[in-house]
Amino acid sequence: MTPFEYLRGAEKKRMGELFEFLSFPSVSAKSEHKKDMKACADWLRNHLSSIGFKTRVYPTGGHPVVFAELASDPSAPTVLYYGHYDVQPVEPLELWKSAPFKPQVRGGYIYARGVCDDKGQTFCHIKGLESVIKTGGTLPINVKLLIEGEEEVASENLPAFIKKNRALLKADVAVVSDTTQFGKNLPGVTFGLRGLAFVEVTVTGPNRDLHSGAFGGAVANPVNILAAMIASLHDKNGRVTIPGFYQHVKPISKWEKQQFKKLPFSEAAYKKAVGVPALHGEKGYTTFERVWSRPTCDVNGIKGGYQGEGGKTIIPSSASCKITMRLVPDQDPVDICRKAEKYLLKIAPKSVRVKVTKHGGATAVMVPTDGPWLEAAARAIKKGFGRAPVFMKEGGSIPIVADFKRILGVNTVLIGFGQSDDNVHSPNERLRVIDFERGCKTAATLPAELAKVKI
Ligand code: BES
Ligand code: MN
Ligand code: MN
């Protein structure tokens, strides 16, 4: 039996197992799900053990790490597969057509929180590897699987785990499927990810909410002030005004610009897909350049004042917001957080108190755009998807990828199986059944292709 035949024969069983995996509400950001996180990690561990992996769940300062290993030939390449079993919060729940942790297939899609980001994609590799083990009795490469539970909260404890377990994680290359394809029936290989810097701003004014008639005009309104501060984060050309923000940003290379130009793009379709009347962004750049290769600054949420039904005439006592900045190579998240803090404190008027909390984030990465690992991955994609991949980048972040290079000295191959309209981090997250199947097939082919690489 070939691995593809094995996959075909086990289609129903595989979907059932995926559904089990998806049923754990493994929301890393919320402490109420701590037990669910552990249960999900244990389930994963048992599942990997049943396939034949040597497995272990490692506790961390946060949520546990699942590690699995299956050695082959010491002269064969060692491949470190990475994925995450944690998912984003599900709110707003009322917008989901089916419950986020009760997976459902509708219209050719699997719907569930985490099905695309990243349980479903991680599961493709688990099932692909299983198909090789079950049909060949062994693997042609040495496999290490590192599946963490804190990616969606910036992988806070994983760098320390990696530093402590350098020997355990020693590998020739890393493989990550936590991105998207370029489009439907158009797979891609991703050669760059943006980084992230995260700050929270709190503006405090009067010691309690005040009557806006009795006090309005004499006391600064924290919501007004915060809004003005947010407005001064960009200039009229859409550039970020934080001093030094672009200090380490290099111009986009000619090669990169050319790659992006080769990719099909319809502004009308893009606008329609996200439901906006017009696109918006930094002047002088194309949409792909804006989202993949330029740094940005965005408010993710804002709080303050009266939100309830009807009116309430007050000057709120405080206001706050969460700001994230997407970074490009050579921008340091800690440095950018510091620069943002300095600027925000400088533009704050004396009439309020401003506190900035810095959270750091992730470093942007570029991975090699050629070489034998990438070629092996491209061959596997061709076999799994029936089509050679295009070169692309992603605007999102996978914090640990930079650490794989920095701490372990390994490059990462980024091959995504999802689609940009799979609603990751949104209600009704989904993954096409066909992308799941093709992802499994790609993953089933990948070990043999990677085994061809001379190390
Ligand atoms: N899988 C995503 C990264 C991603 C998003 C890749 C979109 C390609 C397209 C990952 O799970 C993610 O959401 N990362 C966070 C990291 C953050 C919490 C530090 C992100 O990018 O916001
Ligand atoms: Mn992810
Ligand atoms: Mn995510």
Side-chain angles (χ1 to χ4, degrees), residues 80-101:
L80 177 64
Y81 288 81
Y82 163 86
H84 62 92
Y85 68 86
D86 66 322
V87 302
Q88 285 272 322
V90 295
E91 291 82 1
L93 195 56
E94 64 279 11
L95 294 184
W96 286 78
K97 292 205 184 75
S98 55
F101 299 110

Side-chain angles (χ1 to χ4, degrees), residues 196-199 298-302 321-326:
L196 192 81
F198 175 25
V199 297
D298 278 290
V299 178
N300 308 120
I302 178 163
C321 73
K322 297 178 194 283
I323 300 176
T324 52
M325 293 155 278
R326 293 286 166 178

